[in-house]
Amino acid sequence: MTGEILFLCHRIPFPPDRGDKIRSYHLLERMAQIAPVHVGCFADDDRDIGFAPDMAKMTASQCVLMRDRSRAVAGLKGLATGQSLLVSLFDHPGLHRWVAKVLAERPVKAVVTYSAQMAHFVPVLPDGVRFVMDFVDFDSAKYAAYGAQGSGPMAWINRREARLLLDFERKVAERADLCAFVSEAEAALFRQASGLGPDRIVGIDNGVALDYFDPAADFPSVERRGGPLLVFTGQMDYRPNIEAVESFARETLPAIRDKCPEATFAIVGRNPTRPVQALAALPGVIVTGAVPDVRGWLAAADVVVAPLRIARGIQNKVLEAMAMARPVVVSPQAAEGIDALDEEHLLIAADPAQEAAKIVALLSDRDRAERLGRVARMRMEERYRWSATLAKLPDMLFGSPPTVDMRAA
C-alpha cells in the first residue's frame, strides 16, 4: 500500500451532474482505485447532503458540511481582512478540525485539493506527504475579465477579487508539490503568471464518460417540435451561461428564424434565474429547468450551441455534445482548451452574426451536419476517455506507480 489520500472539494463530488462535479467525481473514482480516500467537502443544499450516503461507498471516510456562510457575510469578512471573497465564502471551523484529525490518525501520503478556495484548509504538512493542488480553472483570470467588462461597484469588486485571488493562487502554488489545471492552455497561462515551470504546473484534461454519452445508449427520448432544434445545456444560475443564452436568444436566434422560421432554441439546465426564465416569452425559446437526463435533449438537437463570451478551461457541455455525435457551434472562448479543429470536429463562431450564418448553413446541409457529428464522436473516443486523461494521476500523487492494479474500468 502506497498510503492514503485526503481529498478536499468545494462541492460534494457526487454525482457527476454539473460541470465542477464531473471532474471531481472522476478524480475521486480514479483515486479510490489507487488507495483509500478521505473526502472533506461542502454541500450547497439538502439535495447535495442527500448524496452523502451514496458517495460513502467510494470513500474510506468523509465529512460533508452544509456551506452556511452567505455571500454577504463572506463579502464583509473579506473586505475587513483583505481576503479573497471566494476564499472567505468557503470556510468552516468544522472542516479545519476534521482535516487535522484525519492527518493525525490516518497514514495520509497525498493531499489533493480541488479548486483554489479549498487550499486554506491544508496545514503545513509533514515530510513525505505530497500536496497536489487542482486549481481546475485559472479563476482570478475569470474575475479579471468580469472586472474589465463593466463599471461601477461590481466591476470594482471583481477587479479586487482578481487581484487578491491571483496573489492567493501564487502563494498556494509555491507551497504545493504539483499544481494542475483543466487544460494545457490554462496551465500555460498560470505558468506565465506565477513564474513556475512545467515541472510544477501541469494540465490534466477533463474527459467524457463515453459509455454514458453515447448516441447508441438507452435513454428517454425527447418529444420535439416540427422545426429545427438548437440546444444549450448547463447550470443556469452561472453567470457565463446566463449571458450566453441571453445573447443567443435575443441576437442570434432571430437571425436564424428569419431563414428557418420554425427553429426552436431549448435552454436545458437546472436553476434558471428569472432573467433566463423570461427568455421563454421570446418566439421560439424553451426553458426546461432541470431535466432527469440531458442525453435526450442532446440526441434530439439538430445543432448544439455553446456561445460563451467568458469561459475558462474545458467546457464539459461541448465534450458531451460531441460524444453524442451532434454538430456543435461554439464561441472561440468555449473552444479554447479543447483539442479539436475548427471546421473538422466543430464549428467556431466569434459573434452572433457568425453563429447565425454557420447554424443556418448546417440546417440546410443535413449530410454535412451528420458528418460533423460523426467526426466529433470519433475525436472524443480518440482523445477524451477519462482513463486516458487521468492515466498519470498515480505518479502525480505518489511519485511512482502504486502496487495495486491501475487498469481503468
Side-chain angles (χ1 to χ4, degrees):
M1 179 62 66
T2 306
E4 298 182 359
I5 301 166
L6 174 61
F7 186 34
L8 303 175
C9 309
H10 70 297
R11 182 172 285 113
I12 183 171
F14 191 96
D17 61 354
R18 55 174 289 167
D20 51 359
K21 287 189 179 188
I22 291 171
R23 181 177 174 91
S24 60
Y25 171 87
H26 284 281
L27 280 170
L28 171 58
E29 182 182 53
R30 188 73 167 111
M31 288 188 293
Q33 296 172 352
I34 300 169
V37 185
H38 307 271
V39 176
C41 61
F42 289 104
D44 286 339
D45 49 34
D46 290 339
R47 177 179 180 271
D48 270 355
I49 288 287
F51 293 130
D54 290 321
M55 187 177 71
K57 299 171 186 176
M58 303 173 67
T59 66
S61 73
Q62 60 189 41
C63 176
V64 183
L65 298 171
M66 187 73 79
R67 182 165 58 85
D68 55 5
R69 176 170 289 185
S70 70
R71 290 185 179 274
V73 171
L76 290 172
K77 182 178 183 294
L79 290 171
T81 61
Q83 187 180 46
S84 156
L85 304 185
L86 188 64
V87 175
S88 178
L89 184 61
F90 288 85
D91 200 4
H92 198 296
L95 191 54
H96 284 286
R97 290 192 295 269
W98 183 82
V99 167
K101 184 175 185 292
V102 170
L103 290 173
E105 296 179 357
R106 303 302 308 170
V108 171
K109 294 299 181 183
V111 176
V112 181
T113 52
Y114 184 86
S115 201
Q117 59 265 46
M118 298 303 291
H120 68 293
F121 289 103
V122 182
V124 175
L125 298 172
D127 291 342
V129 180
R130 279 176 68 81
F131 175 19
V132 178
M133 178 70 236
D134 187 5
F135 282 108
V136 189
D137 297 329
F138 190 179
D139 281 330
S140 61
K142 177 177 65 179
Y143 285 100
Y146 289 159
Q149 274 190 345
S151 59
M154 280 307 302
W156 178 85
I157 289 171
N158 284 321
R159 290 193 294 270
R160 174 190 181 276
E161 181 68 3
R163 184 179 68 255
L164 293 177
L165 189 54
L166 177 58
D167 182 61
F168 180 76
E169 289 166 336
R170 285 170 171 162
K171 289 176 179 175
V172 170
E174 287 285 351
R175 60 184 290 244
D177 293 284
L178 189 71
C179 298
F181 286 84
V182 74
S183 70
E184 174 54 32
E186 290 284 280
L189 287 174
F190 191 75
R191 284 196 289 265
Q192 184 177 20
S194 67
L196 298 174
D199 59 324
R200 299 280 298 282
I201 311 296
V202 301
I204 302 179
D205 288 341
N206 270 8
V208 61
L210 288 167
D211 292 338
Y212 183 81
F213 288 99
D214 184 340
D218 183 21
F219 50 82
S221 62
V222 168
E223 185 176 349
R224 48 175 288 172
R225 299 178 182 178
L229 177 63
L230 317 174
V231 171
F232 177 96
T233 64
Q235 185 79 12
M236 292 318 306
D237 56 1
Y238 179 53
R239 175 176 168 176
N241 288 345
I242 296 168
E243 293 177 350
V245 298
E246 286 184 324
S247 170
F248 193 90
R250 297 186 186 280
E251 300 178 65
T252 306
L253 184 63
I256 294 170
R257 285 172 63 88
D258 283 345
K259 305 291 184 182
C260 306
E262 300 302 314
T264 298
F265 175 43
I267 301 168
V268 182
R270 70 168 59 92
N271 297 340
T273 61
R274 287 185 178 178
V276 173
Q277 293 175 33
L279 296 176
L282 298 176
V285 178
I286 300 171
V287 179
T288 70
V291 297
D293 194 330
V294 73
R295 293 174 297 175
W297 284 96
L298 292 174
D302 292 284
V303 180
V304 177
V305 300
L308 289 93
R309 306 305 175 207
I310 294 178
R312 298 247 55 94
I314 291 179
Q315 295 299 310
N316 294 300
K317 59 172 63 67
V318 177
L319 300 185
E320 292 166 359
M322 293 175 72
M324 290 293 292
R326 305 321 301 146
V328 180
V329 177
V330 302
S331 65
Q333 295 89 334
E336 185 175 352
I338 297 178
D339 188 6
L341 298 177
D342 184 21
E343 300 291 335
E344 181 175 342
H345 305 114
L346 44 66
L347 301 182
I348 298 176
D351 55 43
Q354 284 191 13
E355 289 163 4
K358 294 197 174 191
I359 291 169
V360 168
L362 275 179
L363 295 178
S364 64
D365 189 345
R366 187 170 297 275
D367 288 342
R368 183 186 179 218
E370 291 181 356
R371 183 169 63 252
L372 189 65
R374 288 196 303 270
V375 174
R377 170 72 190 186
M378 291 171 59
R379 187 57 179 159
M380 294 300 99
E381 292 175 342
E382 294 167 352
R383 181 65 177 78
Y384 284 101
R385 291 186 182 276
W386 279 108
S387 58
T389 61
L390 297 182
K392 296 181 180 179
L393 187 59
D395 289 345
M396 294 177 179
L397 294 176
F398 297 114
S400 61
T403 57
V404 297
D405 185 359
M406 283 307 304
R407 291 173 296 180

